[in-house]
Structure formats: C-alpha cells, structure tokens
Amino acid sequence: MDERPLISHAWSTFRALAAATTRVGVTAVTFFFIGNLEAQAEGRGQPPPAIGRVPVPLPPSRPRETPAPLPEAPPLAKAEEAAPKAAEAYPALCVERLAKLGVKLEPRPAITDGLCGAQHPFRLSNLPDGIEASPAAEVGCPMAEAFARWVDEVVEPEAKTHLGLAAKTIQIGTSYQCRGQNRVSTAKLSEHAFANAVDVMGFTFDKGPPLPVKERSIDTPEGRFQAAVKSRACAYFTTVLGPGSDATHTDHLHLDLRARKGGYRVCQ
Ligand SMILES: [Zn+2]
C-alpha cells in the first residue's frame, strides 16, 4: 500500500477540518459580540469597566407614572372650626371676679348649634356702678368680664370727662348668634357664634339724649367720647371694629375675644 497518498489524504482532511473549525469559531464570536451589544442596549448586560476612566453614574430611573398631586390642605380657619371643641370647665374663678365687681351673671343652658355654640353662656344685664346692658347680652364669662371692666374703667370715666354725664345703659345689638363674619354665610364663623362677641349700638346717660354709635367728628365732645371708648377697648378685647373700620361697622362697635396665633389683635 502506498503511504504517500494516505499521508496526503490525511493532511487534506486535517486542513479541511481546521478551516471549518475557524469559520465556526469566528461565527460564534460574532454572535456572542452582537448578542452582548443588544443586551447592553436593553439594559440587561453591564459593560465592562473602562480602564482608566471614572464611571459616570446613571441618572435615577424615571417613575413609571407621575404621582397624583396631593389634596390641598384645608384652610386653617376651617380646620380649626372642624376640630371638636374640648370640654370647658365651669369658669368659677371668672364668675367670682365678676361678683367682686358687682356683676351677677345668670347662667344659661349650654348652646349646641352645629359648629356654633357655647358650653357655659351667661345672661349679662347688670354692669358695675348700676349701669345696664340692654337688652341683656348672652356671652361666655371671659367676654362678660372684659365687657364689664371696659364699661367700669373706660366708658364711665370717659362719659364724665367728655360729656359730664353718667353712663346709664349700654345698648346691645347682637351678642350670641350662629353666623359667619359680617353676616356672610360662607365666611369663617364670627365670634358671635361662640357667645364671645358683643355689638354695642349706643349709650344712654343719666340725662340728655341717647348717643348712637355712628361716624362722628372728633371736633365734638360726643365724637371724642366715642373715639376714646373705641380706642381704649383695644386693651380689653382682641377685636375692636367700628365706624372708620369698614362698611359693615359704621353703626356699632364690634367687640370680641377671638384667640389668634401670637396674640395678634385687630383694632381698627
Ligand atoms: Zn359683631
């Protein structure tokens, strides 16, 4: 048997196999490379760290959906109004202080009227020095005390100073009433709704005509009396409105004890 053709055949076979193996290898590497690029594009694969380069951090992924906006917080005043009122103790010390001033309060039943009301309202008619509140006001004790002190320490002496008269009656308009501020039903509740406000319509004296609250010139004794009792009321109440304040207070003095953050007062 001739060995040369056999060797030649074996060599040819080996070369053919080697060539085929190389083609398969290149194809496999090509498929692997393309596959890896696609994987990177889809975010499934991680590129190898580049040598000598600082990796750049990827931006945070975007949320799939934009979150719905948060509901608006209710206005502060409405939140305060909606909060249940804590039970108030009977204002025994306040009643006692008023008794020392000569003011006898008549307790009234608790007022419960939706968001309006008062746990310990009183009927206030007799004031210091024989002065009357007419008609009687229905107020809580703190308001009764502030009002009685204002009449005793301001109204009576100012009547003597400017008019030479003794105050006899404080004419009352609204005291307790369940309503919004300035009688606007959609407005924040007035302090009248909590028996914490009194509207003064005018004054009477031991002689002479009544003195209704209205726009008055301070060039007159009546005007100076009204201006004095109004401005000095700011030391007793946290809200004082009247002629010169706004269009809804041209004919009375609105006095209340609204509690505001930081002890802020309205004195106009
Ligand atoms: Zn009022």
Side-chain angles (χ1 to χ4, degrees):
M1 195 170 177
D2 190 352
E3 288 185 347
R4 286 184 70 93
L6 193 64
I7 291 167
S8 177
H9 177 74
W11 176 243
S12 298
T13 305
F14 173 76
R15 283 177 61 191
L17 279 170
T21 304
T22 304
R23 279 198 301 277
V24 168
V26 168
T27 307
V29 167
T30 304
F31 278 130
F32 171 79
F33 184 67
I34 292 171
N36 201 35
L37 278 178
E38 287 171 351
Q40 284 179 33
E42 291 172 11
R44 285 187 278 116
Q46 290 298 323
I51 296 166
R53 287 177 64 190
V54 178
V56 179
L58 293 171
S61 58
R62 220 173 121 189
R64 281 166 191 261
E65 290 176 12
T66 306
L70 290 171
E72 267 187 44
L76 183 61
K78 301 226 172 190
E80 282 172 354
E81 283 165 16
K85 296 209 173 281
E88 291 168 12
Y90 181 80
L93 292 175
C94 175
V95 172
E96 201 177 301
R97 285 193 300 271
L98 276 170
K100 285 179 186 165
L101 270 178
V103 177
K104 192 172 178 299
L105 292 173
E106 185 185 319
R108 302 285 298 155
I111 304 167
T112 308
D113 186 6
L115 292 174
C116 306
Q119 283 185 281
H120 301 290
F122 295 90
R123 185 176 181 273
L124 174 70
S125 57
N126 70 312
L127 294 162
D129 308 311
I131 300 171
E132 291 278 316
S134 179
E138 189 164 21
V139 287
C141 198
M143 188 61 201
E145 186 177 19
F147 194 78
R149 287 187 54 209
W150 172 68
V151 168
D152 186 39
E153 298 166 13
V154 175
V155 176
E156 201 189 12
E158 293 291 353
K160 284 198 172 78
T161 300
H162 296 286
L163 308 170
L165 298 170
K168 189 177 172 193
T169 307
I170 313 297
Q171 298 173 318
I172 306 296
T174 301
S175 50
Y176 171 76
Q177 188 176 55
C178 186
R179 65 169 169 84
Q181 287 182 322
N182 300 331
R183 300 185 184 277
V184 178
S185 61
T186 53
K188 188 159 73 170
L189 283 174
S190 163
E191 289 301 295
H192 287 291
F194 307 110
N196 201 28
V198 168
D199 288 345
V200 172
M201 309 309 291
F203 306 86
T204 68
F205 306 94
D206 57 340
K207 56 187 177 191
L211 191 149
V213 174
K214 64 176 187 179
E215 300 277 1
R216 292 180 182 276
S217 164
I218 55 165
D219 292 336
T220 63
E222 292 79 9
R224 286 192 289 277
F225 164 77
Q226 183 176 290
V229 298
K230 181 180 170 227
S231 66
R232 290 186 62 193
C234 300
Y236 297 83
F237 306 97
T238 57
T239 310
V240 176
L241 299 167
S245 303
D246 57 43
T248 58
H249 296 91
T250 55
D251 65 351
H252 66 278
L253 299 179
H254 169 93
L255 311 171
D256 77 42
L257 286 177
R258 180 181 289 271
R260 297 184 181 87
K261 281 187 179 173
Y264 177 65
R265 288 166 181 254
V266 173
C267 184
Q268 295 172 345

